[in-house]
Coordinates of all heavy atoms in Angstrom, one line a residue:
K291 N 5.7 9.3 -6.2 CA 6.0 9.2 -7.6 C 5.1 8.1 -8.1 O 5.3 6.9 -7.8 CB 7.5 8.8 -7.9 CG 8.4 10.0 -7.6 CD 9.8 9.6 -7.8 CE 10.8 10.8 -7.4 NZ 12.2 10.3 -7.4
R292 N 4.1 8.5 -8.9 CA 3.1 7.5 -9.3 C 3.4 7.0 -10.8 O 4.1 7.7 -11.5 CB 1.7 8.2 -9.3 CG 1.3 8.8 -8.0 CD 0.2 9.9 -8.1 NE 0.0 10.6 -6.9 CZ 0.7 11.6 -6.5 NH1 1.8 12.0 -7.2 NH2 0.4 12.2 -5.4
D293 N 2.8 5.9 -11.1 CA 2.9 5.4 -12.5 C 2.0 6.2 -13.4 O 1.3 7.1 -12.9 CB 2.7 3.9 -12.6 CG 1.3 3.4 -12.3 OD1 0.4 4.3 -12.2 OD2 1.1 2.2 -12.3
A294 N 1.9 5.8 -14.6 CA 1.0 6.6 -15.6 C -0.5 6.5 -15.2 O -1.2 7.4 -15.6 CB 1.2 6.0 -17.0
A295 N -0.9 5.5 -14.4 CA -2.2 5.4 -14.0 C -2.5 6.1 -12.7 O -3.6 6.0 -12.1 CB -2.6 3.9 -13.9
G296 N -1.5 6.7 -12.1 CA -1.6 7.4 -10.8 C -1.5 6.5 -9.6 O -1.9 6.8 -8.5
L297 N -0.8 5.3 -9.8 CA -0.7 4.3 -8.8 C 0.7 4.2 -8.2 O 1.7 4.4 -9.0 CB -1.2 3.0 -9.3 CG -2.6 2.9 -9.8 CD1 -2.9 1.6 -10.4 CD2 -3.6 3.3 -8.8
V298 N 0.8 3.7 -7.0 CA 2.0 3.5 -6.3 C 1.9 2.0 -5.8 O 0.9 1.7 -5.2 CB 2.3 4.4 -5.2 CG1 3.6 4.1 -4.4 CG2 2.3 5.9 -5.6
P299 N 3.0 1.2 -6.0 CA 2.9 -0.2 -5.5 C 3.0 -0.1 -4.0 O 3.8 0.7 -3.4 CB 4.1 -0.9 -6.1 CG 5.0 0.2 -6.6 CD 4.2 1.4 -6.8
A300 N 2.3 -1.0 -3.3 CA 2.4 -1.1 -1.9 C 2.7 -2.6 -1.5 O 2.0 -3.5 -1.7 CB 1.0 -0.8 -1.3
V301 N 3.9 -2.7 -0.9 CA 4.4 -4.0 -0.4 C 3.7 -4.2 0.9 O 3.9 -3.3 1.8 CB 5.9 -4.1 -0.4 CG1 6.4 -5.4 0.3 CG2 6.5 -3.9 -1.7
V302 N 3.1 -5.3 1.2 CA 2.3 -5.5 2.4 C 3.1 -6.6 3.2 O 3.3 -7.7 2.7 CB 0.9 -5.9 2.2 CG1 0.1 -6.0 3.5 CG2 0.2 -4.8 1.2
Q303 N 3.4 -6.2 4.5 CA 4.2 -7.1 5.3 C 3.5 -7.3 6.7 O 2.9 -6.3 7.2 CB 5.6 -6.4 5.5 CG 6.6 -7.1 6.4 CD 7.9 -6.3 6.5 OE1 7.8 -5.1 6.7 NE2 9.0 -7.0 6.3
Q304 N 3.6 -8.5 7.2 CA 3.1 -8.8 8.5 C 4.0 -8.1 9.5 O 5.2 -8.2 9.5 CB 3.1 -10.3 8.8 CG 2.7 -10.7 10.2 CD 1.3 -10.3 10.6 OE1 0.4 -10.2 9.8 NE2 1.1 -10.0 11.9
Y305 N 3.5 -7.2 10.4 CA 4.3 -6.3 11.2 C 5.2 -7.1 12.2 O 6.3 -6.6 12.5 CB 3.4 -5.4 12.0 CG 2.8 -5.9 13.3 CD1 3.4 -5.7 14.5 CD2 1.7 -6.7 13.3 CE1 2.9 -6.2 15.7 CE2 1.2 -7.3 14.4 CZ 1.8 -7.0 15.6 OH 1.3 -7.5 16.8
D306 N 4.8 -8.2 12.7 CA 5.6 -8.9 13.8 C 6.6 -9.9 13.3 O 7.6 -10.2 13.9 CB 4.7 -9.4 14.9 CG 3.6 -10.4 14.4 OD1 3.5 -10.5 13.2 OD2 2.9 -10.9 15.3
T307 N 6.3 -10.5 12.1 CA 7.2 -11.6 11.6 C 8.0 -11.1 10.4 O 9.0 -11.7 10.1 CB 6.3 -12.8 11.1 OG1 5.6 -12.4 10.0 CG2 5.5 -13.4 12.2
G308 N 7.6 -10.0 9.8 CA 8.3 -9.5 8.6 C 7.9 -10.3 7.3 O 8.5 -10.0 6.3
A309 N 7.0 -11.2 7.4 CA 6.6 -12.0 6.2 C 6.0 -11.0 5.2 O 5.1 -10.2 5.6 CB 5.6 -13.1 6.6
V310 N 6.4 -11.1 3.9 CA 5.8 -10.4 2.9 C 4.5 -11.1 2.5 O 4.5 -12.2 2.1 CB 6.7 -10.2 1.7 CG1 6.0 -9.5 0.5 CG2 8.0 -9.5 2.1
L311 N 3.4 -10.4 2.6 CA 2.0 -11.0 2.4 C 1.5 -10.8 1.0 O 1.0 -11.8 0.4 CB 1.0 -10.4 3.4 CG 1.4 -10.5 4.9 CD1 0.4 -9.7 5.7 CD2 1.4 -12.0 5.3
M312 N 1.7 -9.7 0.4 CA 1.1 -9.4 -0.9 C 1.7 -8.1 -1.4 O 2.4 -7.3 -0.7 CB -0.4 -9.3 -0.8 CG -0.9 -8.2 0.2 SD -2.7 -8.2 0.4 CE -3.2 -7.1 -0.9
L313 N 1.4 -7.9 -2.7 CA 1.7 -6.6 -3.4 C 0.3 -6.0 -3.8 O -0.4 -6.8 -4.4 CB 2.6 -6.8 -4.5 CG 2.8 -5.5 -5.4 CD1 3.7 -4.5 -4.6 CD2 3.4 -5.8 -6.7
A314 N 0.1 -4.8 -3.5 CA -1.2 -4.2 -4.0 C -0.8 -2.8 -4.6 O 0.3 -2.4 -4.6 CB -2.1 -4.1 -2.8
W315 N -1.8 -2.1 -5.0 CA -1.6 -0.8 -5.6 C -2.5 0.2 -4.8 O -3.6 -0.1 -4.4 CB -2.0 -0.8 -7.1 CG -1.1 -1.7 -7.8 CD1 -1.3 -3.0 -8.1 CD2 0.1 -1.3 -8.5 NE1 -0.3 -3.5 -8.8 CE2 0.6 -2.5 -9.1 CE3 0.8 -0.2 -8.5 CZ2 1.8 -2.5 -9.8 CZ3 2.0 -0.2 -9.2 CH2 2.5 -1.3 -9.8
M316 N -1.9 1.4 -4.7 CA -2.7 2.5 -4.0 C -2.7 3.8 -4.9 O -1.6 4.1 -5.5 CB -2.1 2.9 -2.7 CG -2.3 1.9 -1.6 SD -1.6 2.5 0.0 CE -2.4 1.4 1.1
N317 N -3.8 4.4 -5.0 CA -3.8 5.8 -5.5 C -3.9 6.7 -4.3 O -3.9 6.3 -3.2 CB -4.9 6.0 -6.5 CG -6.3 5.7 -5.9 OD1 -6.5 5.6 -4.7 ND2 -7.3 5.7 -6.8
D318 N -4.0 8.0 -4.6 CA -4.0 9.0 -3.5 C -5.2 8.7 -2.5 O -5.1 8.8 -1.3 CB -4.1 10.4 -4.0 CG -2.8 10.8 -4.6 OD1 -1.9 10.0 -5.0 OD2 -2.6 12.1 -4.7
A319 N -6.4 8.4 -3.1 CA -7.5 8.2 -2.3 C -7.4 6.9 -1.4 O -7.8 7.0 -0.2 CB -8.8 8.0 -3.2
A320 N -6.8 5.9 -1.9 CA -6.6 4.7 -1.1 C -5.6 4.9 0.0 O -5.8 4.5 1.1 CB -6.1 3.5 -2.0
L321 N -4.6 5.6 -0.3 CA -3.6 6.0 0.8 C -4.2 6.8 1.8 O -4.0 6.6 3.0 CB -2.3 6.6 0.1 CG -1.2 7.0 1.1 CD1 -0.8 5.8 2.0 CD2 0.0 7.6 0.4
A322 N -4.9 7.8 1.4 CA -5.6 8.7 2.4 C -6.5 8.0 3.3 O -6.6 8.2 4.5 CB -6.3 9.9 1.6
R323 N -7.3 7.1 2.7 CA -8.3 6.3 3.5 C -7.6 5.3 4.4 O -8.0 5.2 5.6 CB -9.2 5.5 2.5 CG -10.4 4.9 3.3 CD -11.3 4.1 2.5 NE -12.1 5.0 1.7 CZ -13.1 4.6 0.9 NH1 -13.3 3.3 0.8 NH2 -13.8 5.4 0.2
T324 N -6.5 4.7 3.9 CA -5.7 3.8 4.8 C -5.1 4.6 6.0 O -5.3 4.1 7.1 CB -4.5 3.2 4.0 OG1 -5.1 2.4 2.9 CG2 -3.6 2.4 4.8
L325 N -4.6 5.8 5.7 CA -4.0 6.5 6.8 C -5.0 7.0 7.8 O -4.8 7.1 9.0 CB -3.2 7.7 6.3 CG -2.0 7.4 5.4 CD1 -1.4 8.6 4.8 CD2 -0.9 6.6 6.3
A326 N -6.2 7.4 7.3 CA -7.3 7.9 8.2 C -8.0 6.8 9.0 O -8.4 7.0 10.1 CB -8.3 8.7 7.3
S327 N -8.2 5.6 8.3 CA -9.0 4.6 9.0 C -8.2 3.5 9.7 O -8.8 2.8 10.6 CB -9.9 3.9 7.9 OG -9.0 3.1 7.1
G328 N -7.0 3.3 9.3 CA -6.2 2.2 9.9 C -6.5 0.9 9.3 O -6.0 -0.2 9.8

C-alpha cells in the first residue's frame, strides 16, 4: 500500500541489537533492488 507518490516507509533496524537506525522511503524499484542485491 503506497502513498500518493508511490512510496512505502521503511523502518531500518540494526539486526542484532534492535536499534532503530533510520526511516527511509522505498518505491517498487528500490525494494526490488534491495531484495535482489542485499
Side-chain angles (χ1 to χ4, degrees):
K291 291 182 185 166
R292 303 161 190 81
D293 70 7
L297 303 174
V298 176
V301 176
V302 184
Q303 181 182 44
Q304 176 63 31
Y305 84 97
D306 55 354
T307 66
V310 176
L311 302 174
M312 56 185 271
L313 173 76
W315 296 90
M316 289 186 166
N317 60 10
D318 288 20
L321 180 54
R323 188 180 289 183
T324 296
L325 295 172
S327 71

